[in-house]
Structure formats: structure tokens, C-alpha cells
Amino acid sequence: MRLEITHETSYTYHPAVETAQHVAHLRPPSSAHQQLLSHTLEISPTPSQLTQSLDVYGNLCSFFSLQAAHERLCVIARSVVNTREPAWAQSGTPWEQVRERFRYQAGGRFNPASEFVFASPYVPRHDDFAAYARPSFAPGVPLLVAAQDLMERIYTDFTYSSESTEVNTPAVEALALRKGVCQDFAHIMVACFRAMGLPARYVSGYLLTHPAPGQPRLIGSDASHAWASVYVPDIVGDQGWCDFDPTNNRMPGEDYVTLATGRDYSDVSPMRGVIHGGASHTLRVAVTVMPLEAAPISYAHLTQRQSQTGPGQADGGVSQSQSQSSNWLPAPTQWQS
């Protein structure tokens, strides 16, 4: 499947921001089940500096600096990605064997997945996560079976409610509420895995949605998505990581695009930064995920996009000033069989 993703982040500031430093995770990687065909990043106003590098988890980060006063900021990432259905993971390894593999042993060989066993800013240690996870992790149960059961329980026990949590709501609070959004469900699932001594990471990305029958696809009406991934040592492909989407009670397929992976949302937020000035801001985010052989589309709703205002830390806004673009085109490659 060939998908085109447009991710626009816009901020309007009051009063103007004097200087700003931003980092963005907006370029999808190429992997065993997705291939990045093209990517552009447009920033307005023009940044005084723009650099790109890989972070510690292998995600490409774009760093940019704005050294002139500005009332608006707009960042638009456009990507075209080929995806294919991941191979169905198969493993009968009991979850306890994986847990024991990551217990500390003096002189033991380092496994990069071990970093994902420990607490992180959005996924702290808490007994409530272990208590919720235990019914899925009976003795001798294969890890993939336990993970499937945990995903199904989160999907059944929790209510998707876009107004119930904020971006900084602690995962343990969302666990108590039994409601939240995809970010909350991904954090809860990651926390449950770690509470059982298992490496788990947070995945940010996109999911192709489908308009109602007979209705046009709405430009800007999609949103970024998030899910969880657990490490299963004997799985071939994706370096042992197996993804689960508790929001939709399924394993990601060719209609998913991975954007970045990390310990939790704080490692992979699409944009974050530090600003000087801009006591309040209005945020607008518009995401479109579209198959290139798309059905008719509609732009009529764009004047009704939701805005939110709050104290400023940095991320996006519409601007009519000059913009700077970063373009990337890969060398021709073939899927690995």
C-alpha cells in the first residue's frame, strides 16, 4: 500500500515569541515493512539553523532555531511511504524466560532492549500496573499469548474518550480512570509489560482511517496514533520487536505507518521545544493519511479545526512569511524478502 501523509503543526503566539529552539520527529523510517519514498519538511518563518541527526533510538530528528521575533510558526511534513503487511509473529517462548533473560547478571552480555525494561518519564513504576497485568501472565503462558490477552483486556476495559485526559496525564491516572486516548492506552500497555520485567517501547505513527460510505475523505481530519511494542527474543524481523495496538485491539498492518520509537511519548513527540516569549498560544494540528489512489476529498471543514490555548512551550502555527524546506529522496531500493 502506498500512503501519503501530511502532518501540519501550527502555533499562533501572543505576544510574539522572541527566540525559539525546536526538535521534530516527523520523518518516517524505512524498515522491514515500510519504505520511505519521499519526505519534505517546510518551516515558516525561515529558521536561522536547521540540522538533522539520528537520536539514540535511531529516529531521525530535525533541530531548528528561530532567532527573530515571530507571532506564528508553521511546520508541514509531507511523506510518501510504501507499506506491506508484517509477517505474523510466531513464538512459543514463555514470558518468564524473557523476563529472566533481562535480570541483571554480572558479566552478562548487553542487550539494547534492556533499556526498555526500566521506568521512564511517562511510564513510572507502580504496583497498580503489575496488579492489572497479572491475570494475563499466568505461569508458562507464551509471551505473545499473554500480550494478546493484555491488549484485548485494555480494549475491553477502557473507554476511548478524547476529552478525558491531557498530553501530560500520568499513565497511572489513566489506568484508574479506565478511559483515555491512544497515547494513554499505549503507555498503560508499556507500563504493564515493564511491571512484569519485560522490555516494552512506545511507538508513534499514523493509521489510515476510512470515511463513511459515500462520504469524501476529509483533509486534515486524521490524527497521529500510538501503540505498544514488546521484545520477543526469538522473533525474526524487526529485531525482535512485536507491535500491539490496544486502542483498536489488533496488531498493526499495512495501514499503519511507524514514525518513531522510544521509551514513551516524551522521546518521540512530533514536536517540542523551548521558547522565549509567547505567554499564550493557539495550537492547530491537521493530519491527513491518504492512499494515493484516494477517493474524492473535501477541504470544507478546515475552517473549523479545533484550537486550544495555553501557556507557551513550543510547537507549530500558520505563517505567510518565507519558509525553509528540507527535501529527502532515497536511492532506489527493493523490499527484502
Side-chain angles (χ1 to χ4, degrees), residues 25-301:
H25 291 92
L26 289 169
R27 195 188 91 171
S30 290
S31 67
H33 51 80
Q34 71 179 41
Q35 181 185 25
L36 181 63
L37 300 179
S38 66
H39 175 79
T40 63
L41 183 66
E42 300 174 8
I43 304 170
S44 177
T46 304
S48 59
Q49 182 180 22
L50 172 63
T51 60
Q52 295 180 324
S53 64
L54 295 179
D55 67 14
V56 67
Y57 304 112
N59 307 304
L60 186 127
C61 303
S62 298
F63 300 88
F64 61 95
S65 174
L66 301 168
Q67 297 300 316
H70 55 283
E71 296 181 346
R72 296 178 178 136
L73 170 66
C74 184
V75 178
I76 304 175
R78 294 185 175 91
S79 305
V80 177
V81 180
N82 263 351
T83 65
R84 69 175 181 180
E85 197 74 24
W88 183 258
Q90 295 183 352
S91 171
T93 303
W95 70 270
E96 300 99 328
Q97 287 189 19
V98 181
R99 178 194 62 192
E100 293 305 311
R101 187 165 181 162
F102 288 92
R103 288 191 186 277
Y104 174 75
Q105 297 179 5
R109 179 179 297 179
F110 174 74
N111 187 322
S114 62
E115 183 171 356
F116 296 95
V117 176
F118 302 102
S120 56
Y122 279 71
V123 185
R125 289 286 187 187
H126 200 286
D127 290 342
D128 289 356
F129 294 124
Y132 184 80
R134 283 192 190 103
S136 297
F137 290 85
V141 172
L143 174 52
L144 288 181
V145 174
Q148 179 87 17
D149 184 71
L150 177 62
M151 176 181 68
E152 292 174 356
R153 289 176 51 225
I154 293 174
Y155 177 78
T156 302
D157 295 346
F158 290 73
T159 300
Y160 186 93
S161 176
S162 59
E163 303 297 325
S164 60
T165 58
E166 303 290 339
V167 67
N168 57 352
T169 298
V172 69
E173 183 178 325
L175 177 68
L177 289 172
R178 292 295 196 269
K179 62 176 63 175
V181 295
C182 59
Q183 173 184 307
D184 302 302
F185 302 155
H187 279 150
I188 289 167
M189 192 169 190
V190 168
C192 288
F193 283 133
R194 292 179 186 171
M196 304 307 294
L198 303 167
R201 64 185 185 181
Y202 180 96
V203 187
S204 70
Y206 306 102
L207 170 62
L208 175 65
T209 58
H210 300 279
Q215 298 298 312
R217 182 176 299 278
L218 299 178
I219 296 299
S221 65
D222 296 323
S224 55
H225 193 46
W227 56 96
S229 187
V230 66
Y231 183 74
V232 186
D234 57 334
I235 285 182
V236 178
D238 287 329
Q239 299 179 331
W241 292 100
C242 188
D243 292 358
F244 293 86
D245 180 3
T247 303
N248 295 293
N249 192 29
R250 55 170 291 195
M251 299 180 75
E254 66 175 352
D255 49 346
Y256 285 66
V257 173
T258 295
L259 185 58
T261 57
R263 297 168 302 167
D264 58 33
Y265 177 79
S266 66
D267 288 332
V268 299
S269 58
M271 276 192 58
R272 66 179 185 271
V274 178
I275 61 176
H276 182 207
S280 65
H281 64 259
T282 301
L283 167 66
R284 295 192 302 170
V285 177
V287 175
T288 304
V289 182
M290 183 187 303
L292 288 185
E293 60 281 4
I297 59 177
S298 171
Y299 295 84
H301 72 294

Side-chain angles (χ1 to χ4, degrees), residues 308-332:
Q308 50 183 310
T309 304
Q313 264 200 345
D315 305 338
V318 177
S319 173
Q320 298 180 2
S321 60
Q322 289 183 317
S323 65
Q324 177 167 327
S325 298
S326 170
N327 300 301
W328 181 86
L329 291 170

